[in-house]
Amino acid sequence: MEANTQLNERRLADAWAELHAHTINGNPLQADAYRMAFADPEFLFRRETRGIRFQLEMLKPDLGQAEAGIESTVVVFGSARFVDPETAQQRLAEAEASGDAARIALAKRDVRNARHYDLARQFSRLVAQYSNGKPEAERLYICTGGGPGIMEAANRGAHDVGAMNVGLNIALPHEQNGNPYITPSLSFKFHYFALRKMHFMMRAKALVAFPGGFGTLDELFEVLTLVQTGKAKPVPIVLFGTTFWKKLINFEALVEEGTISPQDLGLFLYTDDPQEAWDFIKGFYGL
């Protein structure tokens, strides 16, 4: 009898191959009781199997990052709508050529906001340059939501210096694809926001929030709440873009009204300088 000497060999029935052959022949995916459960999309997308989907969405990115040696991340949030300075200048030139006052005003706003794209790229480059010279266990990896704008800028900064970086994308009604600067093997796609949030926090050693919209605010307050309530270990939280954040959120008013404590204002740092943000994180951990 043939011995199974390959201890790590994995054998699965080729259910996926069977399913693929079925679909490429133009046959519809009809419900099929005989199909293996893990190769049955209709079954996996039933309401009753939602818990299984939660587990899978938790496990797949965790295994992928662990296998790549990703243990500690610096998470960067910010608007998906900001563009790089070159694109912003091109839009302004086209708007001015059109003579459309409203279009020109929007293009000027793009130019103004493009500085945040550039600063996010600079910040991530600083993190990646530091980590490139460290043993794997001591490295910090940039992690973003994987989309365009500030997320793209942060992944791009790490990519600039050849560092691995992570993108945790999500399926949205208006399709959002992973930006081209994420390490391909670390570009993950989620269906559930809750599972994606867990993955942001599981390895996060710092959070840097650039100006952004509802998604950025959602992630920021999630982290602030977890740290404030002791559900997560304290981590450096940086609000990048002092004027934006102080105009948007009056944290001092929350202290005045007694809804947060004065010491809660020490949970985060305002800054406009990539080096200051990085120094703050380094100082927190004594790097």
Side-chain angles (χ1 to χ4, degrees):
M1 183 172 63
E2 181 183 356
N4 181 11
T5 57
Q6 301 298 319
L7 295 179
N8 295 323
E9 183 179 5
R10 295 172 293 180
R11 293 184 179 182
L12 289 174
D14 55 351
W16 281 114
E18 178 184 330
L19 181 63
H20 179 67
H22 184 79
T23 55
I24 63 173
N25 290 330
N27 300 314
L29 282 173
Q30 303 294 338
D32 186 350
Y34 194 67
R35 186 182 301 146
M36 290 187 178
F38 66 82
D40 188 341
E42 289 91 346
F43 172 71
L44 287 176
F45 278 94
R46 288 176 64 100
R47 179 180 179 183
E48 295 86 346
T49 58
R50 182 177 295 155
I52 298 171
R53 297 197 300 275
F54 284 172
Q55 293 177 54
L56 292 173
E57 197 152 282
M58 184 71 185
L59 186 60
K60 181 180 177 180
D62 188 35
L63 290 176
Q65 291 177 83
E67 289 168 356
I70 308 294
E71 293 299 331
S72 302
T73 61
V74 174
V75 179
V76 181
F77 294 128
S79 177
R81 304 185 183 195
F82 294 168
V83 297
D84 62 90
E86 295 77 16
T87 300
Q89 288 293 341
Q90 180 181 346
R91 289 182 180 180
L92 178 59
E94 292 171 353
E96 289 175 338
S98 73
D100 185 327
R103 186 178 172 188
I104 292 172
L106 291 175
K108 287 183 177 179
R109 186 184 66 185
D110 284 345
V111 170
R112 184 175 70 249
N113 286 331
R115 65 183 294 272
H116 294 301
Y117 182 107
D118 198 38
L119 291 170
R121 185 177 176 183
Q122 290 178 38
F123 167 77
S124 295
R125 193 182 296 132
L126 290 172
V127 177
Q129 286 172 334
Y130 166 87
S131 293
N132 279 348
K134 296 293 179 180
E136 185 176 278
E138 299 177 23
R139 293 176 185 172
L140 291 165
Y141 298 90
I142 292 295
C143 175
T144 78
I150 294 297
M151 296 173 281
E152 175 187 293
N155 290 124
R156 188 175 181 178
H159 182 272
D160 286 342
V161 295
M164 290 196 300
N165 60 90
V166 184
L168 305 181
N169 218 300
I170 190 159
L172 298 172
H174 46 285
E175 186 65 25
Q176 177 177 300
N177 295 313
N179 68 67
Y181 302 104
I182 308 167
T183 301
S185 61
L186 297 172
S187 183
F188 302 100
K189 189 172 185 179
F190 290 79
H191 175 75
Y192 298 105
F193 271 106
L195 274 299
R196 182 177 182 239
K197 286 182 177 182
M198 287 189 68
H199 273 288
F200 277 130
M201 288 303 298
M202 282 172 62
R203 290 172 166 81
K205 296 300 185 288
L207 167 74
V208 182
F210 282 78
F214 291 156
T216 301
L217 294 173
D218 179 42
E219 301 292 354
L220 171 62
F221 280 101
E222 175 97 6
V223 176
L224 285 172
T225 302
L226 288 171
V227 172
Q228 181 205 45
T229 59
K231 288 291 186 179
K233 292 181 179 180
V235 296
I237 301 172
V238 178
L239 301 185
F240 207 106
T242 305
T243 301
F244 173 87
W245 288 111
K246 288 191 173 183
K247 179 172 68 173
L248 183 68
I249 307 169
N250 189 344
F251 286 105
E252 287 76 12
L254 298 180
V255 174
E256 291 170 7
E257 294 298 328
T259 57
I260 65 172
S261 302
Q263 58 264 33
D264 289 334
L265 297 181
L267 293 175
F268 52 85
L269 168 78
Y270 292 109
T271 188
D272 300 283
D273 177 27
Q275 188 64 57
E276 183 181 22
W278 176 227
D279 288 343
F280 176 61
I281 295 170
K282 288 194 298 180
F284 187 94
Y285 291 109
L287 302 178

